[in-house]
Amino acid sequence: MVNITKHALLEMPFSSIDSQLGHSFIPLSQTTNLLDHEITAFFGAVNQDVGRSIVENTAGSPVGIYNAKNVCITFDGYLFKNNSFLTTDGLNLREAGRPVLAHFLENIITEIFIHDPCLLLYGPGWTTWGHWTIEFFTRIYLLERLGTRPEEIKWIIPAQCPDFVYFFLKKFGITADNIIKFEHTKEYLHCQSLIIPTNLTCGMSCHPLMSDYIVWLKTKLKLPILPDITQKIYLSRQKLTSTRRIINATEIENIATEFGYTIFYPEKMTIDEQIKTYSKSVSIFSEYGSASHNSIFAPRSAFIGCLRDNKRSVGFIQSALCKAAQQKMCYIFGREEINYPESSYYINPNDLRDSLVFADQKIKQSLFHLF
């Protein structure tokens, strides 16, 4: 057992993962091209910088797995080997994460040696629902593409994992006997044999295999193919202690209700209730965030609407997910208001009404082809 100090760890340089593990990479797709965005319509004013950012990256990193030997894992799923951290956009592991490590790591970090073949199942963002559904669970899918069954390997997650993670792992056939949990603020894992799958998301978009992953996910969860044509839902963030908020949220939700939408607060529902609700919905409108990514559980015919601020930092991964899921969608852009927190924004009620009318038209077209 080898202990290491936080100071020594933070003194390590960062180097490309391919400089140390490139020889072990097994590609699972021949293309690095990313999906186009499914943006059926824009509502509200879009500033030039935000609009251009949609097409910033049309190519990403290769999708596949690293079959690595003697790699160590620390907080947030950061990797190090030969006294160097490993960086890769394919896993969102970047040198910019050094301050996060400095904040959370304890002064003395204890080594735990893992002899069994294992897989890194988490990374930065592991406390958030959306990162699991569109990033980390895709790693299980990729391994199955290689022909490996869940029970044939150990799966590495932090001891403090959210409860919903275990709900999904059970659905995927991963049992407690095959899970390795560790206290990643004060322990690090030295893995003799570690599989490191890349993510299917990349910047503002995602890899075409995301389409197959969504089909795989729905099959694993035994979700219905057809929607309930009467079920339209609006996912609210009003009860969350979030800085990104709609200033006129009550007015917006009242308008959604007028158009036949039921207001849901995902954090007040069980995981099973959430998934069943999304899987039956013919339309889902939401404030941009992890909840909006629940569109991957909805049928192909569903219409997705996302209310968001006018900043590029929020990203555009949602419209790429809708492309992967063969769903129509729109963004409704709000504007910043003076005297409100920086991440708050105002949605023009007329923009929302126009988007809901548009959504109803597209829903009718989709249902015509279904039935």
Side-chain angles (χ1 to χ4, degrees):
M1 181 179 294
V2 179
N3 292 346
I4 189 170
T5 66
K6 177 168 77 171
H7 175 77
L9 198 62
L10 295 175
E11 286 293 304
M12 290 182 184
F14 281 75
S15 61
S16 165
I17 192 170
D18 287 323
S19 67
Q20 299 211 39
L21 302 180
H23 63 280
S24 72
F25 186 73
I26 303 172
L28 291 176
S29 173
Q30 296 303 312
T31 183
T32 59
N33 293 331
L34 300 177
L35 287 172
D36 294 329
H37 290 260
E38 176 55 62
I39 304 177
T40 318
F42 273 169
F43 296 90
V46 185
N47 73 50
Q48 189 178 58
D49 184 47
V50 169
R52 285 180 175 175
S53 69
I54 301 174
V55 292
E56 272 186 355
N57 59 322
T58 58
S61 305
V63 168
I65 68 164
Y66 294 90
N67 194 5
K69 305 297 181 185
N70 292 308
V71 174
C72 299
I73 306 171
T74 185
F75 183 80
D76 256 6
Y78 270 81
L79 305 169
F80 62 95
K81 180 180 174 68
N82 297 330
N83 295 315
S84 177
F85 280 111
L86 306 182
T87 64
T88 170
D89 288 341
L91 291 167
N92 293 326
L93 299 178
R94 303 180 178 93
E95 189 166 1
R98 194 190 294 272
V100 177
L101 297 174
H103 178 78
F104 285 101
L105 286 174
E106 298 193 8
N107 290 328
I108 302 295
I109 308 158
T110 303
E111 179 191 50
I112 298 176
F113 196 89
I114 305 297
H115 296 274
D116 295 319
C118 52
L119 182 144
L120 179 66
L121 192 56
Y122 83 111
W126 59 272
T127 60
T128 306
W129 167 279
H131 283 279
W132 286 94
T133 55
I134 68 172
E135 287 181 12
F136 308 144
F137 291 148
T138 66
R139 302 178 187 185
I140 304 171
Y141 154 76
L142 288 179
L143 198 67
E144 286 201 8
R145 278 185 70 95
L146 282 174
T148 303
R149 297 192 303 272
E151 65 272 17
E152 295 176 339
I153 200 166
K154 303 292 185 183
W155 304 83
I156 295 173
I157 59 176
Q160 301 81 8
C161 250
D163 290 341
F164 67 77
V165 173
Y166 299 100
F167 170 90
F168 281 101
L169 294 184
K170 184 177 180 180
K171 295 286 186 180
F172 300 147
I174 297 175
T175 63
D177 291 340
N178 285 84
I179 296 173
I180 295 175
K181 296 185 287 186
F182 74 115
E183 298 284 347
H184 61 167
T185 60
K186 58 184 179 182
E187 297 171 340
Y188 73 93
L189 301 185
H190 182 163
C191 303
Q192 186 174 28
S193 177
L194 178 66
I195 295 175
I196 310 166
T198 59
N199 293 337
L200 296 183
T201 55
C202 183
M204 298 284 181
S205 188
C206 51
H207 192 274
L209 281 178
M210 183 64 79
S211 297
D212 195 50
Y213 161 71
I214 291 173
V215 173
W216 173 88
L217 179 66
K218 290 178 178 179
T219 302
K220 289 287 186 181
L221 299 175
K222 300 179 180 178
L223 300 184
I225 298 174
L226 298 177
D228 176 346
I229 62 174
T230 67
Q231 183 164 295
K232 301 188 292 185
I233 67 174
Y234 181 95
L235 305 179
S236 173
R237 293 170 62 95
Q238 275 216 74
K239 296 187 184 298
L240 292 175
T241 56
S242 171
T243 55
R244 193 166 70 243
R245 303 181 69 86
I246 296 177
I247 295 168
N248 56 328
T250 300
E251 179 183 24
I252 292 304
E253 291 179 14
N254 287 340
I255 293 171
T257 302
E258 291 171 11
F259 276 79
Y261 285 73
T262 301
I263 310 300
F264 281 94
Y265 304 96
E267 69 279 5
K268 303 295 182 182
M269 305 165 66
T270 67
I271 305 303
D272 201 42
E273 288 171 342
Q274 288 189 59
I275 293 172
K276 286 179 179 178
T277 299
Y278 308 141
S279 69
K280 296 177 183 177
S281 297
V282 74
S283 182
I284 302 175
F285 271 61
S286 67
E287 303 166 43
Y288 200 107
S290 276
S292 60
H293 303 337
N294 290 318
S295 60
I296 64 174
F297 301 110
R300 288 189 304 175
S301 54
F303 188 93
I304 310 300
C306 285
L307 291 71
R308 53 169 293 160
D309 61 19
N310 220 328
K311 297 177 181 176
R312 59 179 290 132
S313 59
V314 175
F316 283 94
I317 191 68
Q318 183 58 50
S319 41
L321 291 173
C322 287
K323 183 71 171 182
Q326 301 181 50
Q327 298 160 339
K328 300 298 183 184
M329 73 88 62
C330 71
Y331 288 115
I332 305 97
F333 289 88
R335 67 170 188 264
E336 290 184 65
E337 292 285 306
I338 301 174
N339 300 325
Y340 282 92
E342 184 181 356
S343 298
S344 298
Y345 57 101
Y346 174 87
I347 294 290
N348 185 317
N350 290 328
D351 289 337
L352 179 64
R353 289 190 180 94
D354 289 344
S355 71
L356 292 170
V357 169
F358 180 77
D360 281 345
Q361 294 170 350
K362 290 300 178 183
I363 292 166
K364 289 177 183 177
Q365 292 174 11
S366 295
L367 293 178
F368 176 79
H369 292 296
L370 275 181
F371 300 100

